[in-house]
Amino acid sequence: MATLLYRLGRFAFRRRHFTALFWVALLALAGVGAAGAPVAGNTSFSIPGTEAQKAFDVLEERFPGASADGATARVVFKAPAGEKMTDAGNKAIVRDTVEELSGGSEVARVTDPYQGGGVSRDGTVAYASVSYQVSGMELEESSRDSLEDAAEGARDAGLTVEIGGDALQAVPETGATEIIGIGVAAVVLVITFGSLVAAGLPLLTALIGVGIGVAGITALASTLELGSTTSILATMIGLAVGIDYALFIVSRYRAELAEGREREDAAGRAVGTAGSAVVFAGLTVVIALVGLSVVNIPMLTKMGIAAAVTVAIAVLIALTMVPALLGYAGRRVRAAGEKGKRRGREDEEKGNGTAKEKAQRPNMGTRWARFVVRRPVAVLLLGVVGLGAAAIPASSLELGLPDDGSQPTSTTQRRAYDLLSEGFGPGFNGPLVVVVDAKNSDDPDAVFRQTGDDIKALDDVVSVSPAAPNKAGDTATITVVPDSKPSSVATEDLVHDIRDAGTGVKADTGADVLVTGATAMNIDVSQKLNDALVPYLTLVVGLAFLLLIVVFRSILVPLKAALGFLLSVMAALGAVVAVFQWGWLSGLMGVEETGPVMSMMPIFMVGVVFGLAMDYEVFLVTRMREAYVHGEKPDEAVVTGFRHGARVVSAAAVIMMAVFAGFIGSSESMVKMIGFGLAIAVFFDAFVVRMAIVPAVLALLGKKAWWLPKWLDRALPNVDVEGEGLRTEDDAAAGEKGGSPDDRDLARV
């Protein structure tokens, strides 16, 4: 592989006009496609195989025209102090508002609070429900404007009016912190390279890669039904890995220049060595993201595949466009250590030591590696105990999906949620819809009554509506309002109790009793994700383990990499629980409402963090493997790996943390939580696991770390990540006599 990538790097450097034009043209093409693409259509949240989804499908079949998947809104009214919503003047305002709402072209129906039981017992709060014929993402802006105008008219008349539901859902905003994250990345790159040109290359290539990926997602959003957060997550991951991959190529290029190589040859060797690590690191990320499809949640699958494509683009750009831009940069990208050598000569002239003495001083990475190698047990214990302590809050993990109650208090959705809780109780914001399918029953009406009576007898039930049958009379819906809030354990227990009662109804009558609604769907999603976590881990970690065996030609190194990942991801989950569930540092993170952790967070974090963790493992340990293969002792190889890689890996980790942390400013709670979780996970994995635990374990294992059974060594393909093939070709070229420079280049390639 090293030889193939070496040729690719030289080709891109030599044919830089063609290479750059290709990627710019692809970016322009994707941009044109995005500009002309229709607005994303229906992004309904379906969970195949769950009871809530089955009930939803029954509703669509048995209640045609009910727009079961349509957007909904609750317009909540509160009377002024000392007045009631049942007063004649307030009644008139509400009915005028209902009449205005009914005139919308996309409105399916509007319920009058005074006819549908929408007034609280104390008479201070009332609500009107608005159902639309299309989903929230398909809703025209004019319909949203009409909804807000109607509410504003009632406000002007003296009532407090707020709007809840998904009719007002908007594309999440990321805020200025995303730009700050990119700015931090730029500063780190300048410090790392000491050059604006060298620092600008990773940023430029990463932005081009993300631009292509996000424009492609936008262009295909309507066709593939991609959600609004898909492009944000693709941007988050694509920026982070795009900058990192380019950083490693540029760093290796400067190191090759420092060894006296010509620029074209240095570009080829950078792609042949660091590029091999980029390919395998990218593969682990892609495997982890595409593997999300095993969960069988369409939205999660699409998010994973879209992010994986963006990562693949980042890999290809690092292998081709980075060497092309290095060709354009020419001498403006200097050899590694050139500035230090120049300062050394200046110091020598001033009598502050010789340049040779300056060059021989060990860098910080070397000093740290020597410290770890001398005290591996202490460093290992400290790292493991520290991560274990950070992981303790994960034992209290509660899962759920965000609703209007998790919105900032500044939003009308959150204020509507609070008004409904105040007037009707906390469970009113998460009603359960019980679907009774009595098609195979002899007496459907009796089944409907029996089901309602059984539910009324359960704990944590505030109210049970009369059964509402369809036109055929064989299916009915019953609305159940819990006594507890939607995300509580008590509500989850009630859902299970209703389903248990439904089992008895089915045994007696043959009718199916199914529970659905947003709350039940959230519970089913959490359960489905929990059930899928072990198979997902087995698939992703298993495939990546095999891949790393091929890369490192070792059993223990990949095993150590996987165990280190588990430590870092558990510690990161503990930090997420502490902030978003317990409320620690919540003000600093902009978390206005604590509550359950998003259901998708654990499995999504496992997928993304595993891929990113293997990035650092591959980049750092391949340099150690390279030194070991070339004859160094195991301890010396660890120090060599850190001497060449610690500075770059540290810079890459800080950049990735900055990019992820930039999304903490998002208005979308899911994006905020993922941004924080990934940033803290990268910190734990890069600076505790890869920088401390990994060298400590390798120092303790010694030569055993690189052991591989002979039969397996013969069976595995030789991918040559260390660039041994390039060194062999160099030796062959050096032994040639005569011949033109072009002939020697051909012999080398």
Side-chain angles (χ1 to χ4, degrees), residues 548-613:
L548 293 178
I549 289 177
V550 174
V551 174
F552 296 128
R553 307 197 78 77
S554 164
I555 297 293
L556 295 179
V557 171
L559 180 61
K560 173 248 336 153
L563 293 176
F565 149 73
L566 291 176
L567 276 174
S568 58
V569 79
M570 289 304 298
L573 277 175
V576 169
V577 170
V579 173
F580 290 89
Q581 189 175 308
W582 291 0
W584 294 4
L585 300 178
S586 57
L588 182 64
M589 299 297 166
V591 180
E592 295 190 17
E593 184 72 19
T594 59
V597 173
M598 183 186 64
S599 299
M600 294 183 185
M601 190 67 189
I603 201 162
F604 190 82
M605 181 178 284
V606 164
V608 176
V609 174
F610 181 78
L612 300 180

Side-chain angles (χ1 to χ4, degrees), residues 181-182 185-186 189 199 201-207 237-249 314 651-652 655-656 659:
I182 296 175
L189 287 169
L201 292 181
L203 281 175
L204 177 60
T205 54
L207 290 172
I237 296 170
L239 264 180
V241 300
I243 294 173
D244 277 8
Y245 294 164
L247 167 63
F248 282 100
I249 298 288
I655 288 169
M656 198 171 278
V659 172

Side-chain angles (χ1 to χ4, degrees), residues 469-516:
N470 62 348
K471 290 183 179 179
D474 58 6
T475 306
T477 60
I478 300 173
T479 301
V480 180
V481 176
D483 188 36
S484 50
K485 64 181 183 179
S487 58
S488 68
V489 176
T491 301
E492 182 176 349
D493 292 340
L494 176 60
V495 170
H496 293 310
D497 290 343
I498 295 174
R499 287 172 174 170
D500 290 341
T503 303
V505 172
K506 183 176 178 63
D508 295 339
T509 66
D512 287 324
V513 177
L514 308 171
V515 185
T516 189

Side-chain angles (χ1 to χ4, degrees), residues 24 41 49 89 100 146 160 180 205 260 395 409 488 504 605 676 683 730:
V24 171
E100 184 177 350
S146 298
T160 298
I180 295 174
T205 54
S395 61
T409 53
S488 68
M605 181 178 284
F676 171 79
F683 171 77
D730 260 2

Side-chain angles (χ1 to χ4, degrees), residues 43-407:
T43 56
S44 56
F45 189 75
S46 63
I47 312 293
T50 62
E51 179 175 316
Q53 184 64 44
K54 183 180 178 182
F56 185 82
D57 295 339
V58 170
L59 285 175
E60 285 196 321
E61 177 188 347
R62 306 288 174 81
F63 292 82
S67 301
D69 62 342
T72 59
R74 275 178 169 175
V75 182
V76 187
F77 306 88
K78 183 176 182 180
E83 298 182 17
K84 302 283 187 181
M85 289 305 304
T86 51
D87 294 346
N90 293 333
K91 268 189 175 183
I93 296 171
V94 171
R95 283 177 171 156
D96 288 344
T97 304
V98 168
E99 184 178 352
E100 184 177 350
L101 290 170
S102 302
S105 60
E106 294 180 311
V107 173
R109 61 187 177 277
V110 181
T111 60
D112 188 316
Y114 304 103
Q115 296 178 359
V119 181
S120 64
R121 289 183 180 179
D122 62 5
T124 59
V125 178
Y127 73 93
S129 294
V130 185
S131 300
Y132 292 88
Q133 298 170 358
V134 296
S135 68
M137 292 302 294
E138 294 176 303
L139 202 62
E140 293 182 1
E141 201 61 38
S142 59
S143 295
R144 292 192 179 93
D145 292 341
S146 298
L147 179 62
E148 292 175 334
D149 290 344
E152 191 60 37
R155 289 191 192 104
D156 293 340
L159 299 179
T160 298
V161 186
E162 305 295 347
I163 306 171
D166 62 353
L168 291 184
Q169 68 179 6
V171 176
E173 300 174 356
T174 53
T177 50
E178 180 185 347
I179 306 300
I180 295 174
I182 296 175
V184 172
V187 171
V188 173
L189 287 169
V190 171
I191 294 173
T192 302
F193 291 137
S195 164
L196 288 174
V197 175
L201 292 181
L203 281 175
L204 177 60
T205 54
L207 290 172
I208 290 174
V210 168
I212 293 172
V214 172
I217 290 170
T218 304
L220 298 174
S222 178
T223 304
L224 301 180
E225 298 181 1
L226 301 177
S228 57
T229 56
T230 303
S231 60
I232 292 179
L233 295 175
T235 301
M236 183 190 303
I237 296 170
L239 264 180
V241 300
I243 294 173
D244 277 8
Y245 294 164
L247 167 63
F248 282 100
I249 298 288
V250 175
S251 298
R252 190 58 184 254
Y253 171 76
R254 296 175 72 236
E256 296 294 337
L257 287 179
E259 294 183 9
R261 303 190 188 280
E262 294 296 328
R263 293 188 177 274
E264 183 177 327
D265 188 44
R269 286 182 167 277
V271 176
T273 51
S276 297
V278 166
V279 169
F280 283 101
L283 273 176
T284 58
V285 180
V286 169
I287 287 172
L289 291 170
V290 173
L292 291 170
S293 58
V294 303
V295 184
N296 195 26
I297 295 180
M299 185 183 78
L300 192 59
T301 299
K302 292 171 184 177
M303 287 166 55
I305 292 176
V309 171
T310 307
V311 170
I313 292 172
V315 171
L316 293 174
I317 283 185
L319 298 178
T320 56
M321 192 166 187
V322 170
L325 293 180
L326 288 172
Y328 284 119
R331 296 186 179 277
R332 286 186 289 272
V333 177
R334 297 189 297 268
E338 186 175 302
K339 181 181 288 187
K341 291 177 182 178
R342 187 169 62 248
R343 288 178 179 173
R345 287 192 295 269
E346 293 173 357
D347 288 342
E348 184 178 356
E349 292 171 0
K350 296 176 182 178
N352 296 330
T354 66
K356 185 176 182 180
E357 289 173 348
K358 295 285 184 181
Q360 289 177 344
R361 291 177 184 173
N363 60 20
M364 186 175 293
T366 302
R367 295 196 298 271
W368 169 250
R370 287 175 179 170
F371 171 80
V372 174
V373 167
R374 286 196 305 269
R375 298 175 178 81
V377 176
V379 172
L380 178 61
L381 287 176
L382 186 61
V384 171
V385 170
L387 290 179
I392 290 175
S395 61
S396 302
L397 178 67
E398 296 177 9
L399 298 177
L401 286 178
D403 56 16
D404 284 347
S406 62
Q407 296 269 10

